[in-house]
């Protein structure tokens, strides 16, 4: 996911995500276009450090995406 999607999931501003990446609090890499790419597992790990309430947000979103894919297949 990109930094804006991560910001939405964490409920923070986009620039907060960029600050978290730049100071090492959130792992991310850049794609060929130069955009930050954050894995769901890295975001979930960061969420766990923030607190259980926010941590649940990531897994709820991941479950939603899985269910959506399953419904499309049916």
């Amino acid at each position: 996911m990109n930094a804006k999607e991560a910001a939405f999931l964490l409920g923070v501003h986009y620039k907060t995500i960029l600050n978290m990446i730049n100071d090492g609090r959130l792992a991310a890499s850049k794609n060929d276009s130069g955009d930050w790419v954050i894995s769901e597992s890295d975001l979930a790990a960061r969420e766990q450090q923030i607190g259980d309430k926010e941590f649940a947000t990531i897994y709820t979103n991941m479950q939603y995406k899985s269910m959506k894919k399953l419904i499309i297949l049916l």
Side-chain angles (χ1 to χ4, degrees), residues 17-64:
I17 295 296
L18 295 180
N19 289 337
M20 292 169 70
I21 292 168
N22 289 328
D23 67 18
R25 290 181 287 154
L26 180 61
S29 59
K30 286 198 173 186
N31 63 16
D32 293 336
S33 301
D35 298 322
W36 286 110
V37 177
I38 304 158
S39 73
E40 289 182 355
S41 61
D42 286 333
L43 190 62
R46 179 63 191 144
E47 280 289 283
Q48 192 171 27
Q49 293 173 356
I50 293 171
D52 291 337
K53 180 181 176 186
E54 293 86 1
F55 183 65
T57 303
I58 299 300
Y59 284 100
T60 301
N61 183 56
M62 290 168 63
Q63 289 174 339
Y64 170 76

